[in-house]
Amino acid sequence: MALVSSRVPTHQSAVVGASLRSRLVPTLRLDVTAPMEDTVAALNRFQPRILVGYASALKPLAAEQHAGRLHISPQGVMSASEVLTPHTAAELEAAWGSVPFDVYAATETAGIASPCTYRNRHVYEDLLIIEPVDQDGNPVPPGTTGARLLVTVLFSRTLPLIRYEMSDSVRLGGRGCPCGRAFTLLGDIEGRLEDILNLPGRQGPVSIHPIVFHHVLDEAGSAGWQVIQEASGLRVLLAGLAPGASIEGVRAAVIGALNAAGVVETRVDVQLADHLERTALGKAPFVRGLAAPH
């Protein structure tokens, strides 16, 4: 197994990688912040049967596979710790021939939900209680996306977590699946509250959900994209440019989508980048809001 994720010891990804490494499961642990050519060379040497990583790490690797620089044939691909969009999932399937296994997890809770053979995500209700709530902390009706998520961990003996607040926006479904599991189904995972930008509008601030950018940018950046809010406006990073796309075309499309959502007077700067900006834990969030002043 090859794991492309954070090497920070306190992060769940690093803990899992260190725990699995044994003679029974030969494991290659790669730092997601390492240069792409080094990662590609290591994977080509190792030839993993299972490839695991963040969605923002797997997408550029799929682009390397399509470009002929990466030559691996994993039997399974698992995405974890970041939102896996349908477009990225399709790119991973096209690169390696199988639908990626998308695990919803967090460092504080470990695994929360994962798909069965029918690709329906089931919540680990024997290990966790999860409660989507609105902005005021009230439970939302089934089938409604919550503003935040309260999690109670049933298995932790070191540090109990009871109704621990996460800023994830998720939607729970019902029960019943052809696989036979009775656990609640997990519907959409729309991201985190921090991913929502507040931009100037005609009648005051407008909240822009990341889906506005997904519709425009998923097919434009061949190896990923990122929107960073700054005092002067929005900086859009494209890791590679898809065939037929152009900087000016992407900029016009982003401005058009923002205007349609009611945003006014927001500067948009589109740039090509060798890599996306990552957090200290190696994550590359699609959208990064305005940093708080020091």
Side-chain angles (χ1 to χ4, degrees):
M1 183 180 74
L3 182 68
V4 187
S5 65
S6 172
R7 296 298 299 271
V8 177
T10 55
H11 194 272
Q12 175 72 10
S13 302
V15 174
V16 170
S19 301
L20 287 177
R21 191 170 190 173
S22 69
R23 287 181 296 174
L24 295 177
V25 185
T27 303
L28 175 67
R29 296 172 60 202
L30 299 173
D31 192 331
V32 70
T33 62
M36 179 57 67
E37 56 268 25
D38 294 350
T39 300
V40 168
L43 289 172
N44 282 337
R45 289 192 300 268
F46 189 70
Q47 290 297 309
R49 290 179 60 190
I50 303 295
L51 177 63
V52 183
Y54 305 145
S56 63
L58 296 175
K59 181 180 174 70
L61 287 175
E64 291 293 307
Q65 184 85 14
H66 286 305
R69 291 182 289 271
L70 182 63
H71 308 280
I72 60 174
S73 302
Q75 296 174 15
V77 177
M78 186 173 79
S79 173
S81 298
E82 289 182 348
V83 175
L84 178 67
T85 66
H87 186 269
T88 297
E91 290 184 339
L92 303 188
E93 183 178 2
W96 295 301
S98 62
V99 178
F101 191 82
D102 186 18
V103 177
Y104 176 41
T107 291
E108 300 90 339
T109 63
I112 297 176
S114 62
C116 63
T117 54
Y118 289 88
R119 297 296 164 179
N120 294 321
R121 284 179 293 213
H122 295 266
V123 178
Y124 303 160
E125 291 186 292
D126 53 343
L127 301 176
L128 303 156
I129 299 171
I130 67 172
E131 307 169 71
V133 297
D134 60 21
Q135 291 283 17
D136 297 323
N138 300 312
V140 298
T144 303
T145 301
R148 294 176 287 138
L149 187 68
L150 303 182
V151 181
T152 299
V153 180
L154 304 177
F155 62 86
S156 176
R157 300 185 182 186
T158 304
L159 179 63
L161 293 179
I162 301 173
R163 304 196 85 201
Y164 175 82
E165 182 180 309
M166 299 171 58
S167 62
D168 293 16
S169 299
V170 305
R171 175 175 57 82
L172 292 181
R175 298 182 184 273
C177 178
C179 76
R181 290 178 176 84
F183 290 161
T184 296
L185 297 173
L186 181 67
D188 290 336
I189 305 171
E190 295 190 359
R192 297 194 158 192
L193 186 62
E194 291 91 338
D195 298 336
I196 297 176
L197 298 182
N198 289 314
L199 300 176
R202 300 179 185 89
Q203 306 297 326
V206 177
S207 296
I208 300 298
H209 192 277
I211 195 66
V212 172
F213 300 110
H214 280 290
H215 288 326
V216 176
L217 300 174
D218 274 355
E219 296 185 11
S222 59
W225 58 269
Q226 196 170 46
V227 175
I228 301 171
Q229 185 181 19
E230 299 174 333
S232 60
L234 300 182
R235 182 159 53 97
V236 179
L237 299 181
L238 296 177
L241 200 60
S246 67
I247 296 294
E248 273 307 310
V250 171
R251 180 177 177 275
V254 171
I255 292 175
L258 292 175
N259 289 342
V263 175
V264 297
E265 298 178 357
T266 296
R267 179 173 174 270
V268 176
D269 181 24
V270 180
Q271 305 171 0
L272 285 178
D274 294 331
H275 57 272
L276 303 179
E277 295 185 7
R278 296 187 177 272
T279 66
L281 293 178
K283 300 291 188 66
F286 287 113
V287 179
R288 298 183 66 171
L290 191 64
H294 294 295

